């Protein structure tokens, strides 16, 4: 891991903004503190479309899980950088299709573990672990994963709105490849991250988030860089797109209001 990457501590630090709690605030959640809200307000002065972007991203996550469960029969999901529980979490969407669907949530923010465990107490097909997603072996060999995930069967590994938290020095492409290598043929990798084609926006947000979160951040990238993370995998139709346009529901809500930055991604399959 890069110098700035720290192992998960288990302590909720309310003196610095956290990516999980800022995202929760943008989604209208209540699991955030003044420091998170202030950072969001500052950020939104420069990139005012961020709240819409977050809502669009969450809807993409829900659509893609439903699509994988319904159209591809996926019954196992590992959700890297899962975020705080909100409405229609991955297990709820997947278990609407098949109540036997199994989901492991992985996040390095201790608040996710605290709230996730409370939500999942009654659900034996679901687990949440606090881990840094760069620790592929630690995660895939954990008791929760080995209890719930059958590596002989296809799995969907989700990396939704989280790769921008991984610095280049920690090789996000290598992370995707490591996970793909452990999964059965026919497995899926779902990836999206913050992208901007405007250098000034990329630089500002990358620096703002790196400083405010004290290093829980990687880089806003360009669309072509994400495509490079999926080398060796088959990118499925409709390809890599701004996520609100990836198989949109007929009743899609607010579209991306501006193009300052977008969540860009899609689905790839291991053959
Ligand atoms: C923007 S949220 C996305 C949440 C969810 N995937 C979604 O799209 O709705 C990013 C999440 O990734 C988590 N995260 C960031 N870096 C991480 C890492 N290295 N390992 C595990 N989780 C990480 C953050 O704590 C946060 O909860």
């Amino acid at each position: 891991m890069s110098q700035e990457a720290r192992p998960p501590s288990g302590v909720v630090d309310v003196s610095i903004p956290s990516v999980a709690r800022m995202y929760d605030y943008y989604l209208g959640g209540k699991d955030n503190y003044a420091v998170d809200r202030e950072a969001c307000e500052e950020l939104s002065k420069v990139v005012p479309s961020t709240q819409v972007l977050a809502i669009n991203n969450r809807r993409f996550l829900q659509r893609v899980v439903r699509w994988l469960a319904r159209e591809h029969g996926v019954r196992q999901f590992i959700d890297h950088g899962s975020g705080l529980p909100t409405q229609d979490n991955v297990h709820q969407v997947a278990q609407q299709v098949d109540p036997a669907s199994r989901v492991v949530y992985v996040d390095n923010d201790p608040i996710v573990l605290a709230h996730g465990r409370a939500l999942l107490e009654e659900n034996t097909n679901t687990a949440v672990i606090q881990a840094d997603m760069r620790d592929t072996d630690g995660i895939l060999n954990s008791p929760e994963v080995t209890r719930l995930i059958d590596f002989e069967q296809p799995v969907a590994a989700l990396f939704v709105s989280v790769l921008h938290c991984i610095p280049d020095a920690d090789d996000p492409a290598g992370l995707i490849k490591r996970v793909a290598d452990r999964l059965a043929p026919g497995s899926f990798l779902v990836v999206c991250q913050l992208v901007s084609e405007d250098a000034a926006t990329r630089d500002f947000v990358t620096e703002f988030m790196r400083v405010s979160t004290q290093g829980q951040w990687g880089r806003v990238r360009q669309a072509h860089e994400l495509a490079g993370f999926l080398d060796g995998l088959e990118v499925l139709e409709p390809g890599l797109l701004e996520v609100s346009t990836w198989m949109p529901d007929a009743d899609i809500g607010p579209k991306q209001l501006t193009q300052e930055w977008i969540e860009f991604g899609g689905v790839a399959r291991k053959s």
Side-chain angles (χ1 to χ4, degrees), residues 1 5-6 8 18-24 27 54 57-61 79-84 86 106-112 131-135 139 158-166 175 192 194 216-217 263:
M1 290 186 202
R6 288 163 299 191
S18 104
V19 176
R21 298 187 320 242
M22 287 176 69
Y23 184 62
D24 176 71
L27 290 180
N57 177 73
R58 191 72 194 176
R59 289 184 177 157
F60 164 71
L61 172 67
D79 186 3
H80 297 85
S82 55
L84 277 150
T86 169
V106 180
D107 205 288
N108 63 353
D109 191 317
I111 201 166
V112 174
D132 193 302
M133 67 178 183
R134 287 163 279 201
D135 181 13
I139 291 167
L158 312 180
F159 295 88
V160 175
S161 188
V162 72
L163 292 172
H164 43 251
C165 296
I166 304 297
L175 166 61
C192 72
L194 290 165
Q216 307 161 43
W217 196 251
E263 285 281 358

Side-chain angles (χ1 to χ4, degrees), residues 2 14 35 39 41 46 55 65 99 110 127 137 141 181 234:
S2 69
V14 300
V35 70
E41 301 302 336
V46 179
I55 293 168
V65 168
D137 287 341
N141 298 333
D181 284 349
E234 176 198 4

Side-chain angles (χ1 to χ4, degrees), residues 33-98:
Y33 298 92
V35 70
D36 308 304
R37 297 189 282 274
E38 280 158 20
C40 288
E41 301 302 336
E42 277 304 300
L43 185 58
S44 291
K45 285 181 191 160
V46 179
V47 276
S49 61
T50 305
Q51 180 165 26
V52 172
L53 177 151
I55 293 168
N56 284 342
N57 177 73
R58 191 72 194 176
R59 289 184 177 157
F60 164 71
L61 172 67
Q62 292 156 350
R63 282 199 308 283
V64 86
V65 168
R66 199 170 56 230
W67 180 76
L68 287 169
R70 275 192 193 153
E71 307 298 326
H72 293 278
V74 179
R75 297 292 180 265
Q76 325 189 79
F77 297 82
I78 304 177
D79 186 3
H80 297 85
S82 55
L84 277 150
T86 169
Q87 288 177 343
D88 291 335
N89 300 292
V90 170
H91 74 284
Q92 288 155 327
V93 175
Q95 290 175 359
Q96 268 164 18
V97 178
D98 182 348

